[in-house]
Amino acid sequence: MGVQDHLQNAFYIGGEWVAPSTTRSFELINASTEEVIGSVPEAMEADVDRAVAAARKALESGAWAQATPNERAEIMHRFAASLAKRSDAIARAVSVQNGMPLAVSTGLEGQFGAGLMQYYAELARSQGTDEVRPSQVGKETRVSRDPIGVVAGIVPWNFPVTLALSKIAPAMAAGCTLVMKPSPGTVLDSYIVAEAAAEAGVPAGVVNWVAADREVGAYLVSHPGVDKVAFTGSTAAGRIIARVCGELLRPVTLELGGKSAAIILDDADLNAVMQGLPQVAMLNNGQTCFNCTRILAPQSKYEQVLEAMAGLMGALKVGDALDADTHVGPMASALHRDRVQGYIEKGKSEARLIAGGGKPGTDRGWFVQPTVFADDHNNTTVGREEIFGPVLTVIPYKDDADAVRLANDSIYGLGGSVWGSDPDRASKVARQVQTGTIGINGYIPAVGSPFGGVKASGLGREFGPEALSGYQQYKSTYVMG
C-alpha cells in the first residue's frame, strides 16, 4: 500500500486533498541510487494560511471541538490501525528518501508510530478532563485541562514519521489540532500518514500537512493563528524558533541536537559492548540526535577498545537502504554527505584515524564509510560538534570521576549510556551525567517515559504523560460556595 500518484500533486488540508497555490515543487531523490523518484508541491504562505484556518475551525467548532476524551481515543485507535496497515509502505518510503536501513525503518518508522497513537489514546481516555481538588478558602477547586490550541509541528528528515507522530499523538489526545511541516527531503511518508488519517475518519482539519522550505516554515512558526510550536531539528534552528516564540510568548517544545557519550567502565564485558554499540552510537547511519558518538574508554583498556572498535566498524555492511542485510545506508542528501566528509577531513588533522575515513566502493549513492578517530581528548572539532553521520571518537579517561567530567564537558545533554557489569556502579555514574536521558548497558527511548534534553539539546519533553501535559493549558475554577 503506497501513495496514490494523483495525491502527490496536492496538500492534505481540512480533510481534503487540495491544489497548491503555485506550481513550485520539491524533487525527491533515492538516497541509495541518486535517482529521481518523484516530486511533491511546495507550500507557499497562502497554503499555510489555509492550513492554519482549517486547524482553527476544527479546534473551535464541529465534531472534534465537541469530542469527549473517550471519543478522541476511539478516533485515535482507528488512526493507529490505519497506520499499522501501512507499516511496510511507510518504512520503504522513509528508507528510499533518507537512506535509513530497512531493518531500522521497519520497526522505528513503520511500526512505532501506531504504538504511539495507541498509547496516547489510552492516556486521553484515562486522564479525562476535570479534577476536583480541596480548597483552603472555599468549597473546592476544579482544575480543567484544555487543549493549548493550534500546533505547528515542524519535523526533520531523519525520523520523519516517528517524530511527526510524537507530536500528533499527544496533541490529539489533548484535543489540539495541527499543521505539520515535513522536511522537503522526506515528504512521501507524510502522504501515507495523511491517507491513514483520512481512512480512519480523523475529523477534517485536525491534522493538516504542508511541505515547505525554511522561509515558509518560519512564516508558520510566527503565524498569528498558531498557539504552540513543536520543533525537532538542529540547535541552530531551534535557537531561532525560540527567539520568535519568546517574543510572541508562544509555548514551544524544542528537541534539538546532541553529542552524547557512551562511558565504557573498566569492568564492562567488551564483547557485549561491541554487540550493543551499533544501535547506541550508529543508529540510522549516525543520523540520530541521541547517538552516543563520543566513546569514553578507560586508559587501562584503551588499546583493546580501539582494536574492538576498528573491527566493529569494518564488519558493518554499507549498502542500499532497501537491502535487508545493510547495517549502514547512505546519508540523506548530497549536501549532508559533503558536510560529514568535511568533518572527517578535519578530523584527520586533529586525531588518529583508526577506521574508515573515505568513501565506500560504490558508484552511486550518498555513502560515507563508518569512521572512528582515536587520541581525542574532547577538545577537537570532531569530538565536540554534532556531525550527524557514522563518525565516532574514542576518548580515554582516568577514573569514573574523569569519565563523568568528560561526558559533561559538552554544550549538549540529550542521550548517553554507561556500560559495566556492576549495576549499582553504572547507575551511580549515570546519575552524575548531565543529560535528559541515559541508558545502562544499552539505550532506546521508551514511549511511556519522557524524552528530551538539557542545555543546548532543547526544551520540553516528548513521550510519556509529560508530552501530553505540554499540549494542555490548565484552568482553575474556584468554587466558593
Side-chain angles (χ1 to χ4, degrees), residues 431-445:
R431 281 194 295 269
Q432 297 176 73
V433 178
Q434 298 165 356
T435 185
T437 63
I438 194 164
I440 295 174
N441 293 324
Y443 177 99
I444 188 166

Side-chain angles (χ1 to χ4, degrees), residues 274-290:
M274 292 303 122
Q275 289 177 12
L277 208 56
Q279 184 179 25
V280 170
M282 298 280 287
L283 185 65
N284 191 19
N285 317 326
Q287 299 173 140
T288 302
C289 54
F290 57 70

Side-chain angles (χ1 to χ4, degrees), residues 54-267:
R56 177 63 57 186
K57 181 179 179 181
L59 179 75
E60 297 179 349
S61 63
W64 187 253
Q66 302 302 319
T68 65
N70 278 336
E71 289 168 340
R72 290 201 299 266
E74 289 301 319
I75 293 168
M76 293 173 68
H77 276 302
R78 294 201 303 268
F79 194 1
S82 293
L83 288 168
K85 285 169 54 178
R86 293 164 169 80
S87 61
D88 289 344
I90 288 172
R92 291 184 67 86
V94 170
S95 291
V96 167
Q97 293 173 103
N98 74 0
M100 183 185 298
L102 192 61
V104 176
S105 65
T106 296
L108 295 186
E109 290 287 88
Q111 299 169 1
F112 192 76
L116 266 174
M117 193 63 63
Q118 291 171 337
Y119 171 81
Y120 281 105
E122 287 307 302
L123 203 57
R125 196 194 305 275
S126 65
Q127 191 178 76
T129 52
D130 290 358
E131 175 188 350
V132 178
R133 300 183 185 179
S135 176
Q136 290 77 30
V137 295
K139 180 180 179 182
E140 63 187 23
T141 300
R142 297 173 190 159
V143 180
S144 57
R145 303 179 183 91
D146 299 324
I148 205 166
V150 174
V151 177
I154 302 179
V155 183
W157 46 259
N158 61 325
F159 286 92
V161 177
T162 292
L163 293 174
L165 291 169
S166 68
K167 297 161 182 54
I168 294 170
M172 287 183 65
C176 297
T177 59
L178 304 100
V179 177
M180 302 300 299
K181 190 201 85 67
S183 169
T186 47
V187 185
L188 288 181
D189 45 276
S190 66
Y191 279 83
I192 301 173
V193 177
E195 285 182 309
E199 180 185 83
V202 174
V206 173
V207 192
N208 310 272
W209 278 269
V210 284
D213 63 10
R214 290 182 179 181
E215 183 176 337
V216 176
Y219 178 76
L220 173 62
V221 167
S222 62
H223 198 286
V226 167
D227 299 301
K228 171 176 174 154
V229 176
F231 170 79
T232 300
S234 72
T235 295
R239 291 184 191 279
I240 296 171
I241 291 172
R243 283 196 290 270
V244 173
C245 290
E247 180 66 27
L248 295 171
L249 298 179
R250 178 167 295 170
V252 60
T253 300
L254 302 171
E255 200 271 279
L256 308 177
K259 190 72 175 180
S260 302
I263 301 174
I264 303 175
L265 299 177
D266 56 18
D267 66 349

